[in-house]
Each structure stands twice: as structure tokens, then as C-alpha cells.
């Protein structure tokens, strides 16, 4: 044996009662679990860790992460490793960096600079891949061949696929274009992706019809993957948007995982039970559905995402040209403030809920931490004037916190039987959302210990075995003999998310040890130099 955790409280991820045991590791796997009630000799090892008072669980799986480039830029990646995250699912919201050609890569880098940094002109990362397989190979190589901080699974981004095939036009795809998109999706799945994501309030993915999306989901179903949409509305049309995704995936025969499944804005206050009833009806008739949420009320995205979709047609340079034209900018303002832009989920924008959390241009840092309404008042101008100037001067790179959530909805949804945890953590910006550094200890500390919304055993199942089942991973997500030793040791009495909106990059407390493949990534509360992470690829047999 390499390591034994002595007298630890095992929370095995199944949702069943915890128990005391010695847990022994060898060759990167759980070799022996010797329960307190078992007879015979206790396991011994080269290293014995006295774990009385600590809980041992499977490593946490972040079902919605935006670490696509952070994993290649930051070998430490403490934002996730210190939370106990051992696997992240990236390629989210229909926009990421594979598959691409040279033109599409430049466009997507510009579009999601606010999410991931490394915009056009930056040289911090060598973008030497073009296919999904090449990107996963790059993750495996990581830093000088040593790997990356935590494991990563990849979703093929539908918006990027449409950008590569159709471009930025708001029009139906032709039959030949749909056939090419299906081939790209199939190739990505064959190369190891776990499914397909969409961002249906982001361009150009939002230009796809349900019929087009259904065809892509048929390909996902053939490979036993899953579809993960950021659907068409989390606001005025939220329930209809959820129903649309359920119907679409039922038609395609595809598993569905609902990304950051929130019910936001004033129109949805207290309406979480309606969403859950909709999902229960589908589940009870055989649908394969899961969802993820983060345990906070504000959302986080880019400021440019708030614009109406027609203003984003053609890509970043076309957007900037429209914003610089006074007449077109006035049309954009009217849609956003009076009608409710589709980019803002059909709800008229409330500038006092839009807080700037990050900028690409350091010269604009004075805007960070202020709402658009406050910045406008300080300048004695209308909020749209401030927002327009920021969009143009920051070249669309600004990120925002959107304070439109409801605590009762957050609690109701996290109790659901198919709920999993996802941080949706954007790591860029001067003042990122604290969920990037705090989601998993926030579940364990606030919602288990302090509020009792979930039991500890149930919560751990939400964060481990449920996502592992969605990802079809046969040897992760449970503390079982023979399973991979991706493990977290935490103190249930003290585990706390220390990140706040004022100090969002503060690491959590109460998580002394995190292991990947039996190697200590976090040891005694400190990040080690171990780079045990790799791409987690599925190679399912194609059906039909």
C-alpha cells in the first residue's frame, strides 16, 4: 500500500450512511476499505494519515467549468484544486477552442476573451491544436509533459461548430452544412468528447433552429453522449425554453443535462416548483435528464452577451461597428431597455443589477465593482451611454455579475433528484464571481452545515456519483475498492467557502487533502507541485 487514511469517516458518494474505516491506496486506486466493524488486521502502508475527525469522499466533479485555457496557463489552478475538484467539464455554453480552423480560432478567441482571456494578440498560450483530439492531447501533455492540475472532460461547442461551418449569419443551415456539422460532432465524439454543448443566447449558436439542433443531438445519441444546453431563456421565457430542450432531446433520443438550471429575474421569483414539476413529468415517462447549479444568486457572463442577437450578427468587428454608429446604437438601446433583448432573456435590462466584474483593458479598472447605473450616475450620464462606451473601449472584453437570482429558487432546485454541482466559474477579471473559488465548499458549509438544505451524504452524492453517472465513468464518483483514488478529505465542522464578492479569489478552508490517482494535489491545505490531471475521454461504440 502507498497510503492509508486511518479512522476516517467515509462518505462514499452513494447517498447512503457514512461509516468509519481505514482506506488504503495503491497504484492510484482504492486498494482496501477496512471498516471499523471488520475483523482481521488493519491495512498498513508507507504513509499513514491520521484522519479522525475528517470525512473522505470521492473527488468533486465540476459539471460546468470555464477552465478551457486556465488549465494550460496556470499549473497550480488552485481555484479548483483547493475546492476538492478532481474533474472539470469544459467546452461549455457552445463556445470553445476546438474544432476550429485558423479563421474560426481567431473569432472565438475574440468572442470569449471575457471568459478565458488570451484574446487576439496575446501570446500566453500556443494555440497549436485545431481538432478536439489535438486539444485533448494538449491537455494530456500539459506542462512539459507532466499533465495539468485536475482532470478535464470536454463538450463539443455547437456555436463554434456552426461558426466553422455556417459562419456568423443569422440564417438556417443548408442540408450540406448540417451534414458537415454532424460529421464534426461525430469526429469530436470519436476523439474523446463526452457530448455537445450549446449557448442559445450567444451568437452564432443561437441562430440554430430546433430542427438543426435535433440533427446534431441525433449524432450525440449515436455515441451515447449527452447534450448540455444553455437554453434560449432564463428569464421571460424560461419554462418554455426548458420544455423546448426536453422535447428536442426526446425527439433525438439523446440524454439531456441542463446547464446552470436557474430561474432568474423578477418574472420567475418563486417559480422553481414549476420547473421541477416539468422535469419530473419527463423523468417519470423515461426521459434521461440531469442538471447542474451553483449555490449563489447572481449570474456571471459578458456585457456583450446582453445585446440583441441581430446586433451580434457577423461577429465581434460587426458588433463594434454597430455600437459606433449612433443610429444603430440607439436601436440597440431601445430593444435592451424597453422591449427586452433576447441576449437579456427577453427582460428589459435593469442597469442597477449589472455589475462590472472584469475588463480586458487595465485602464478601465475603475469600472470594476460598480454597477452600470452607479458608474453612469458618477459621470452624470444615462446608463446606456456608459455601457456603450465600455463595450467599445474594452472591445467587448468586459465581464459582469448579474444580480437577478432568487434564493428560494436556488434552494428548491438543489434538492432535486437529478441535481449536480457546477461552478460556472469564470476565472478572468479583477473581481470574478466567488463561485469560481467557492462553489463546492459553499455547498458543504452553507447549504449542509449551516442551513440544512441537504444532508452531508446526499450533498456529496450530488457532487460525485451523480455527475460520474452522467459522464458514464465506470470507476469514478464512489469510494469503492478498485475505483480511482480521486479523493477529498475535508472537515465537515469547518469546511467553508472563504471567497466573497469583495474578495473572490480567497481559497476555502477545511479541505486539507485532495488526491488525483492517489497523488496529493493538496496536502495539509497547500498546493503541491503534482500535475496528475489528464483529459478524461470516452470511447463509446457508435450505435446504428
Amino acid at each position: 500500500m502507498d497510503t492509508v487514511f486511518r479512522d476516517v469517516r467515509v462518505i462514499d458518494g452513494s447517498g447512503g450512511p457514512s461509516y468509519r474505516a481505514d482506506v488504503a491506496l495503491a497504484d492510484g486506486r482504492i486498494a482496501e476499505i477496512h471498516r471499523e466493524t471488520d475483523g482481521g488486521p488493519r491495512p498498513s502502508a508507507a504513509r499513514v494519515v491520521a484522519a479522525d475527525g475528517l470525512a473522505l469522499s470521492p473527488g468533486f466533479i465540476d459539471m460546468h467549468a470555464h477552465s478551457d485555457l486556465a488549465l494550460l496557463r496556470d499549473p497550480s489552478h488552485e481555484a479548483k484544486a483547493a475546492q476538492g475538484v478532481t474533474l472539470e467539464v469544459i467546452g461549455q455554453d457552445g463556445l470553445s477552442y476546438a474544432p476550429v480552423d485558423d479563421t474560426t480560432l481567431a473569432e472565438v478567441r475574440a468572442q470569449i476573451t471575457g471568459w478565458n482571456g488570451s484574446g487576439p494578440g496575446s501570446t500566453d498560450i500556443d494555440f497549436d491544436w485545431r481538432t478536439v483530439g489535438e486539444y485533448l492531447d494538449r491537455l494530456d501533455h500539459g506542462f512539459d509533459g507532466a499533465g495539468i492540475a485536475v482532470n478535464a472532460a470536454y463538450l463539443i461547442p455547437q456555436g463554434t461548430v456552426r461558426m466553422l461551418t455556417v459562419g456568423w449569419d443569422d440564417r438556417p443551415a443548408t442540408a450540406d452544412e448540417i451534414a458537415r456539422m454532424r460529421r464534426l460532432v461525430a469526429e469530436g465524439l470519436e476523439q474523446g468528447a463526452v457530448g455537445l454543448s450549446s449557448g442559445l443566447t450567444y451568437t452564432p449558436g443561437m441562430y440554430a433552429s430546433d430542427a438543426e439542433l435535433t440533427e446534431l443531438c441525433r449524432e450525440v445519441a449515436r455515441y451515447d453522449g449527452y447534450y448540455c444546453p444553455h437554453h434560449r431563456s432564463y428569464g421571460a421565457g424560461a419554462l418554455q425554453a426548458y420544455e423546448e430542450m426536453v422535447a428536442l432531446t426526446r425527439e433525438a433520443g439523446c440524454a439531456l443535462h441542463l446547464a446552470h438550471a436557474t430561474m432568474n429575474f423578477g418574472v420567475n421569483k418563486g417559480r422553481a416548483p414549476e420547473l421541477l414539476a416539468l422535469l419530473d413529468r419527463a423523468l417519470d415517462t423515461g426521459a434521461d435528464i440531469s442538471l447542474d447549479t451553483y449555490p449563489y444568486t447572481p449570474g456571471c457572463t459578458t456585457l456583450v452577451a446582453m445585446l440583441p442577437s441581430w446586433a451580434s450578427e457577423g461577429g465581434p468587428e460587426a458588433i463594434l461597428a454597430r455600437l459606433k454608429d449612433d443610429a444603430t446604437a440607439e436601436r440597440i438601446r431601445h430593444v435592451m431597455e424597453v422591449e427586452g433583448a433576447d441576449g437579456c432573456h427577453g427582460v428589459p435590462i435593469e442597469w442597477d443589477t449589472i455589475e462590472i466584474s472584469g475588463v480586458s483593458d487595465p485602464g478601465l479598472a475603475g469600472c470594476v465593482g460598480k454597477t452600470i447605473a452607479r458608474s453612469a450616475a458618477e459621470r452624470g450620464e444615462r446608463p446606456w451611454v456608459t455601457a456603450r462606451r465600455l463595450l467599445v473601449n474594452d472591445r467587448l472584453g468586459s465581464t459582469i455579475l448579474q444580480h437577478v437570482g432568487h434564493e428560494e429558487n436556488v434552494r428548491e432546485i438543489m434538492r432535486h433528484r437529478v441535481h449536480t454541482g457546477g461552478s460556472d466559474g469564470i476565472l478572468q477579471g479583477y473581481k470574478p464571481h466567488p463561485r469560481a473559488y467557492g462553489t463546492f465548499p459553499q455547498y458543504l458549509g452553507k447549504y449542509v452545515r449551516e442551513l440544512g438544505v441537504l444532508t452531508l451524504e446526499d450533498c456529496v452524492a450530488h457532487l460525485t456519483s451523480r455527475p460520474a453517472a452522467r459522464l458514464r465513468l465506470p470507476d469514478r464518483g464512489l469510494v469503492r475498492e478498485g475505483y480511482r483514488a480521486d479523493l477529498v478529505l475535508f472537515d465537515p465542522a469547518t469546511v467553508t467557502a472563504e471567497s466573497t464578492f469583495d474578495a473572490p479569489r480567497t481559497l476555502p478552508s477545511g479541505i486539507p487533502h485532495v488526491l488525483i490517482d492517489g497523488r496529493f494535489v493538496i496536502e495539509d491545505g497547500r498546493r503541491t507541485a503534482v500535475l496528475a490531471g489528464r483529459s478524461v475521454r470516452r470511447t463509446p461504440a457508435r450505435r446504428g
Side-chain angles (χ1 to χ4, degrees):
M1 303 296 180
D2 302 318
T3 305
V4 170
F5 295 105
R6 186 79 75 203
D7 294 318
V8 72
R9 178 185 175 186
V10 176
I11 304 173
D12 67 6
S14 69
S18 61
Y19 57 87
R20 288 175 64 86
D22 297 341
V23 178
L25 315 180
D27 299 323
R29 294 189 177 266
I30 300 170
E32 182 180 352
I33 301 173
H34 188 278
R35 297 194 182 217
E36 185 178 43
T37 55
D38 291 344
R42 301 171 75 174
S44 60
R47 177 177 182 181
V48 176
V49 177
D52 188 21
L54 296 179
L56 180 144
S57 80
F60 304 137
I61 299 177
D62 188 342
M63 286 296 287
H64 192 104
H66 287 285
S67 301
D68 307 46
L69 299 183
L71 285 164
L72 297 173
R73 184 188 300 115
D74 177 16
S76 178
H77 199 43
E78 282 187 291
K80 295 302 179 68
Q83 291 186 62
V85 171
T86 57
L87 170 60
E88 299 183 273
V89 184
I90 56 179
Q92 299 285 353
D93 295 326
L95 291 165
S96 190
Y97 305 93
V100 291
D101 58 16
D102 291 352
T103 299
T104 302
L105 177 61
E107 291 172 338
V108 77
R109 285 180 66 182
Q111 185 180 14
I112 55 175
T113 297
W115 290 359
N116 296 316
S118 300
S122 63
T123 58
D124 58 336
I125 290 176
D126 181 8
F127 288 82
D128 57 355
W129 65 86
R130 294 296 180 268
T131 70
V132 170
E134 289 169 350
Y135 173 67
L136 297 179
D137 288 344
R138 179 65 184 279
L139 292 175
D140 286 339
H141 183 270
F143 297 90
D144 297 324
I148 50 180
V150 303
N151 296 313
Y154 189 70
L155 292 164
I156 302 162
Q158 170 261 331
T160 302
V161 168
R162 198 176 209 270
M163 196 186 308
L164 180 60
T165 305
V166 181
W168 288 84
D169 295 339
D170 183 2
R171 64 169 176 82
T174 67
D176 286 346
E177 289 167 339
I178 291 175
R180 185 186 176 204
M181 286 191 281
R182 286 192 66 156
R183 288 195 298 273
L184 288 168
V185 171
E187 289 169 5
L189 292 163
E190 288 171 354
Q191 292 164 8
V194 296
L196 176 74
S197 76
S198 283
L200 300 179
T201 64
Y202 300 125
T203 55
M206 70 189 305
Y207 299 142
S209 66
D210 283 3
E212 179 182 319
L213 295 169
T214 300
E215 288 303 305
L216 301 188
C217 284
R218 292 188 199 281
E219 205 63 45
V220 175
R222 288 164 70 87
Y223 286 86
D224 198 26
Y226 69 93
Y227 179 46
C228 179
H230 165 126
H231 49 272
R232 297 191 193 275
S233 177
Y234 290 83
L239 286 175
Q240 296 90 333
Y242 282 113
E243 191 167 11
E244 174 191 14
M245 294 298 101
V246 171
L248 186 157
T249 49
R250 291 292 291 270
E251 172 68 19
C254 178
L256 172 64
H257 180 84
L258 295 165
H260 39 60
T262 56
M263 291 287 286
N264 289 338
F265 303 93
V267 294
N268 290 318
K269 184 176 175 61
R271 299 188 70 189
E274 296 176 58
L275 165 62
L276 301 181
L278 184 161
L279 298 181
D280 283 334
R281 288 193 296 271
L283 289 163
D284 291 344
T285 56
D288 185 357
I289 301 173
S290 56
L291 60 87
D292 66 67
T293 69
Y294 46 84
Y296 299 87
T297 52
C300 180
T301 187
T302 56
L303 182 58
V304 67
M306 299 290 101
L307 300 182
S309 57
W310 59 262
S312 297
E313 187 176 3
E317 292 305 318
I319 298 170
L320 288 167
R322 293 186 182 102
L323 288 167
K324 291 174 184 178
D325 179 77
D326 289 343
T328 306
E330 174 57 22
R331 287 179 57 207
I332 293 171
R333 182 206 65 78
H334 179 81
V335 172
M336 293 179 71
E337 294 186 348
V338 179
E339 298 176 11
D342 48 6
C344 194
H345 308 278
V347 177
I349 197 162
E350 297 175 328
W351 294 112
D352 60 351
T353 69
I354 306 296
E355 177 186 352
I356 300 301
S357 61
V359 290
S360 295
D361 181 351
L364 299 170
C367 298
V368 174
K370 300 177 183 177
T371 65
I372 294 290
R374 178 182 167 189
S375 288
E378 290 175 353
R379 299 178 67 94
E381 60 191 16
R382 297 172 64 187
W384 168 244
V385 175
T386 301
R388 178 187 176 192
R389 180 189 301 108
L390 186 58
L391 284 163
V392 171
N393 292 349
D394 206 26
R395 294 191 59 81
L396 314 180
S398 305
T399 54
I400 63 171
L401 301 179
Q402 195 170 16
H403 296 272
V404 292
H406 307 287
E407 180 66 21
E408 63 269 40
N409 286 348
V410 169
R411 297 187 193 189
E412 193 74 24
I413 293 169
M414 76 169 61
R415 293 188 183 101
H416 196 263
R417 53 178 161 152
V418 298
H419 171 267
T420 67
S423 71
D424 197 11
I426 294 173
L427 300 169
Q428 294 299 304
Y430 291 85
K431 193 172 179 282
H433 197 302
R435 68 193 184 192
Y437 284 72
T439 287
F440 295 88
Q442 179 85 337
Y443 271 116
L444 298 169
K446 179 176 179 179
Y447 287 95
V448 171
R449 185 180 66 245
E450 296 177 12
L451 299 177
V453 175
L454 299 169
T455 68
L456 185 55
E457 289 82 357
D458 190 26
C459 183
V460 167
H462 288 224
L463 308 181
T464 59
S465 63
R466 287 189 193 175
R470 166 53 68 220
L471 296 167
R472 307 282 199 266
L473 300 177
D475 59 355
R476 302 176 196 261
L478 292 168
V479 178
R480 293 282 191 276
E481 291 181 357
Y483 274 55
R484 290 181 178 271
D486 293 357
L487 301 168
V488 182
L489 281 92
F490 63 93
D491 184 346
T494 64
V495 59
T496 301
E498 302 288 0
S499 58
T500 65
F501 287 98
D502 291 330
R505 286 194 168 89
T506 308
L507 298 177
S509 57
I511 304 178
H513 303 300
V514 181
L515 297 89
I516 296 178
D517 279 350
R519 301 169 66 191
F520 283 83
V521 174
I522 299 291
E523 186 173 13
D524 295 324
R526 294 181 176 84
R527 180 71 172 93
T528 70
V530 168
L531 294 168
R534 299 291 186 274
S535 68
V536 174
R537 311 188 195 205
R538 291 188 55 241
T539 53
R542 179 171 175 166
R543 297 183 290 172

